[in-house]
Structures are given as structure tokens and as C-alpha cells.
């Protein structure tokens, strides 16, 4: 049994296809198939059920893949120790970012990070919080950026910034006349929110206190803020926006933005990673650089976006 064979098995388990898995690990399909067959012969059992389409794991294969993730992650720790000892910020680094943060945060830091660490190969993917957690557990992701706190003992959280919520209230809303908003003012409003699966949706529901008290006027299937803003401008209601997205709106649209009364409701956005702490020196370098970028990029009046370390 070799680490390479386990990596091949993990790839097939992920893609459920030998050809796609082979491309992912940069070998030919026959080479990958041969190595997996050798492993199955050595273990005297089948890891994959090849009669199914797509390919499925056998019952024992599920257990083997779980262990394979741990073995591969531990094997990578040796290289990680060497890199940390040398202080090298380089190599491949896989980062997952939740959708409600990706579009606003990534443009702020990507160019700076790439220039600061030219040896670093960033692989960034937009994914939901639960997907980030699952990939961190499997070892297929090095770190994530998500709204916190999360209730996972094995997931470490390192806060990046605290992002206040803004109210987008066009002229059709009574809130448009207000200078500052408090949560109680929202109880009679039609609030447009993101579809299920977005952590920002839950935050919005908590602020509005409408989970069980006020039924939503209709269900919005949109997964982005742009659509919610457009619907709001059409007179269908108001919506809540995170500050970094709100600052991207046009001057015409920003006239309709309202801040909450102090203390402003806000979400904590953090760098998250597994307690195994693989590539911790890179995680810490990215964390510190992103915090510094946000601090320098945002002129923030009387709202504090950078909290304690």
C-alpha cells in the first residue's frame, strides 16, 4: 500500500469516474486503474463497485476512504513541517469562500496576496459553509473563509473582520425617511432575503425576528444580493445587505442605504481551518495580510470593522 495509491482512491471517490480522477491527479487512466486494482488485490477486497454508474464505493470502501484521508493528511504534515521550518509561503493552497463574502472580499485581497507571495499557488472555490467544513474534514481544502462562530470542536476560527448589516430601503418604504434603523422598525416591512443554504439568510431572519412571527410575502429563490436589490427597487420590499457589498452599489442606490442604530448588528467573518493545523504558517500569513488589506481599503466613518485578533 502506498500514499499514491490512497490519493488515487480518494480522487475516484470524489469524482466517481476513473477518467476524471486521472486528470485530477495528472496520470493516465490506465495507470490510475492499475494502481487501484493492485491495492484491491493486496487488501483482497473491492473498494469500488464498478457495476454502478457513476462508480460507487462499497461499504468497506467507505471506511477505507475515510482512513485514507487521514493517512494522506498526516503524510503531508512532514512536508508542512519542512516548509514551516524554512518559512516558505509557497506551493498549492486550497481556499473555500462562502458566496456572500466571495464577490466582495476576493477583489480586495487577491492581487496583493499574489504579489506578496509569488510562490503561492492559490486554488479558490466558492462554496457553502457546510461544504467548506466537509472539505476541511476530508483534507481536500486547506482553509475557508466563512461567517462565524460555528459549532464544530475540530474547526478552528481566526476572525478577519466584523461586517455590519445595512438596510436597503427605496423610496416606497417608510424606512427611507429614517436616518437610523432599529430591528423593531422591520416588523411591518416585507423583507427580501436569500434562499435557504446561505448563512446570511439566517442572520437576516434573526435580526428581523420574523422566523415564526411574520410569514414571508413570497419565496425568493435568488442566491445573490443583486437580484434582491433589483426586486427592492421594483417596490417588492426592502432587503438587508452586508457592508462590503453595500459599498459597491451605485451612488444612486447608496442614497437608499440606512445604517442600524448602535450597536450595529454585524456578522463575524473568519478564516477557518481544521485542528490538524496543516499549512498553519500559510493560514496565518493570509489571515494577517487580509486583515491589513481590509483595514487599509475601507474608510469606515464611525463603524469599526476590524475587531480583536
Amino acid at each position: 500500500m502506498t500514499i499514491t495509491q490512497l490519493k488515487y482512491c480518494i480522487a475516484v471517490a470524489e469524482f466517481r469516474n476513473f477518467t476524471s480522477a486521472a486528470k485530477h491527479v495528472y496520470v493516465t487512466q490506465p495507470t490510475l486503474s492499475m494502481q487501484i486494482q493492485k491495492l484491491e488485490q493486496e487488501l483482497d477486497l473491492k473498494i469500488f463497485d464498478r457495476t454502478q454508474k457513476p462508480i460507487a464505493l462499497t461499504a468497506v470502501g467507505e471506511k477505507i476512504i475515510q482512513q485514507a484521508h487521514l493517512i494522506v493528511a498526516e503524510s503531508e504534515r512532514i512536508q508542512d513541517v519542512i516548509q514551516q521550518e524554512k518559512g516558505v509561503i509557497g506551493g498549492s493552497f486550497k481556499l473555500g469562500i462562502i458566496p456572500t463574502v466571495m464577490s466582495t472580499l476576493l477583489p480586495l485581497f487577491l492581487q496583493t496576496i499574489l504579489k506578496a507571495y509569488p510562490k503561492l499557488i492559490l486554488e479558490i472555490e466558492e462554496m457553502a459553509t457546510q461544504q467548506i467544513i466537509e472539505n476541511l474534514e476530508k483534507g481536500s481544502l486547506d482553509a475557508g473563509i466563512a461567517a462565524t462562530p460555528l459549532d464544530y470542536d475540530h474547526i478552528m476560527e481566526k476572525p478577519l473582520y466584523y461586517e455590519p448589516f445595512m438596510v436597503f430601503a427605496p423610496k416606497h418604504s417608510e424606512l427611507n425617511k429614517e436616518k437610523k434603523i432599529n430591528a423593531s422598525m422591520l416588523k411591518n416591512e416585507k423583507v427580501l432575503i436569500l434562499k435557504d443554504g446561505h448563512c446570511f439568510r439566517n442572520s437576516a431572519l434573526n435580526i428581523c425576528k420574523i422566523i415564526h412571527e411574520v410569514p414571508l410575502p413570497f419565496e425568493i429563490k435568488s442566491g445573490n444580493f443583486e437580484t434582491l436589490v433589483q426586486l427592492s427597487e421594483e417596490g417588492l420590499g426592502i432587503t438587508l445587505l452586508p457592508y462590503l457589498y453595500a459599498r459597491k452599489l451605485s451612488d444612486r442606490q447608496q442614497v437608499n442605504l440606512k445604517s442600524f442604530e448602535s450597536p450595529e448588528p454585524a456578522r463575524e467573518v473568519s478564516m477557518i481551518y481544521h485542528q490538524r493545523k496543516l499549512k498553519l504558517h500559510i493560514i496565518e500569513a493570509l489571515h494577517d495580510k487580509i486583515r491589513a488589506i481590509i483595514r487599509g481599503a475601507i474608510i469606515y466613518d464611525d463603524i469599526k470593522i476590524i475587531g480583536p485578533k
Side-chain angles (χ1 to χ4, degrees):
M1 181 188 303
T2 67
I3 298 296
T4 298
Q5 288 173 330
L6 294 179
K7 288 181 177 179
Y8 290 172
C9 287
I10 290 172
V12 174
E14 179 180 352
F15 290 95
R16 307 287 169 154
N17 180 279
F18 279 91
T19 302
S20 298
K23 290 180 180 179
H24 181 72
V25 295
Y26 305 106
V27 297
T28 63
Q29 189 269 328
T31 297
L32 179 137
S33 296
M34 180 184 66
Q35 288 299 321
I36 291 179
Q37 286 176 355
K38 282 185 177 181
L39 178 59
E40 289 178 324
Q41 290 170 1
E42 178 184 340
L43 299 176
D44 193 26
L45 53 79
K46 291 293 183 183
I47 299 173
F48 297 100
D49 182 352
R50 294 165 175 79
T51 65
Q52 295 193 40
K53 299 295 182 182
I55 294 169
L57 286 163
T58 62
V60 69
E62 293 276 3
K63 298 178 181 179
I64 289 173
I65 293 300
Q66 289 178 11
Q67 196 63 32
H69 280 294
L70 298 176
I71 293 171
V72 171
E74 287 302 314
S75 71
E76 292 175 348
R77 189 183 295 275
I78 297 174
Q79 187 63 32
D80 187 54
V81 169
I82 295 172
Q83 295 292 338
Q84 290 197 48
E85 182 66 23
K86 294 179 177 179
V88 175
I89 307 296
S92 175
F93 189 89
K94 298 179 180 179
L95 178 68
I97 307 179
I98 60 173
T100 58
V101 168
M102 179 88 153
S103 64
T104 54
L105 182 60
L106 189 60
L108 288 178
F109 76 78
L110 185 57
Q111 284 288 355
T112 302
I113 292 293
L114 294 178
K115 289 180 180 179
Y117 307 115
K119 295 182 179 180
L120 188 65
I121 303 172
L122 272 178
E123 298 179 39
I124 302 173
E125 184 175 350
E126 181 179 292
M127 56 181 70
T129 301
Q130 188 57 41
Q131 189 180 359
I132 291 176
I133 299 299
E134 292 171 359
N135 280 280
L136 289 174
E137 290 174 338
K138 291 190 299 183
S140 56
L141 203 64
D142 296 309
I145 296 179
T148 51
L150 301 169
D151 189 22
Y152 295 92
D153 293 338
H154 55 287
I155 298 298
M156 314 299 289
E157 302 172 7
K158 201 170 177 64
L160 287 166
Y161 59 92
Y162 298 86
E163 184 173 25
F165 297 97
M166 307 287 287
V167 177
F168 185 79
K171 293 181 179 180
H172 64 76
S173 170
E174 290 296 320
L175 297 184
N176 185 266
K177 303 173 184 177
E178 303 289 340
K179 290 184 177 181
K180 293 280 186 176
I181 305 297
N182 61 59
S184 64
M185 296 177 181
L186 303 179
K187 63 183 179 180
N188 295 321
E189 294 285 337
K190 293 179 180 179
V191 183
L192 307 176
I193 55 179
L194 296 175
K195 66 180 180 180
D196 285 334
H198 290 270
C199 56
F200 191 88
R201 172 189 172 92
N202 295 330
S203 299
L205 287 172
N206 288 334
I207 293 172
C208 300
K209 301 184 185 300
I210 61 174
I211 295 179
H212 298 297
E213 297 175 14
V214 181
L216 296 176
F218 46 82
E219 186 175 10
I220 301 298
K221 287 293 186 181
S222 172
N224 63 74
F225 293 119
E226 182 180 0
T227 300
L228 298 185
V229 169
Q230 290 175 350
L231 291 173
S232 182
E233 290 182 316
E234 291 296 322
L236 296 176
I238 66 168
T239 192
L240 301 183
L241 302 173
Y243 175 78
L244 289 180
Y245 181 85
R247 69 192 288 267
K248 292 174 53 180
L249 296 178
S250 67
D251 292 342
R252 176 185 61 80
Q253 291 172 321
Q254 290 201 23
V255 173
N256 298 320
L257 286 173
K258 305 294 177 181
S259 300
F260 279 94
E261 294 177 352
S262 184
E264 300 90 353
R267 64 172 177 175
E268 177 183 79
V269 177
S270 301
M271 182 86 76
I272 63 174
Y273 53 96
H274 199 276
Q275 64 182 4
R276 292 188 296 266
K277 298 183 180 180
L278 288 172
K279 301 185 181 180
L280 183 59
H281 65 302
I282 298 179
I283 292 170
E284 291 180 338
L286 292 180
H287 171 272
D288 294 346
K289 182 68 70 174
I290 292 172
R291 278 175 59 90
I293 290 168
I294 293 174
R295 184 184 291 111
I298 299 174
I299 300 173
Y300 211 97
D301 298 334
D302 59 345
I303 299 177
K304 187 177 183 181
I305 196 167
I306 299 293
K309 291 185 178 180

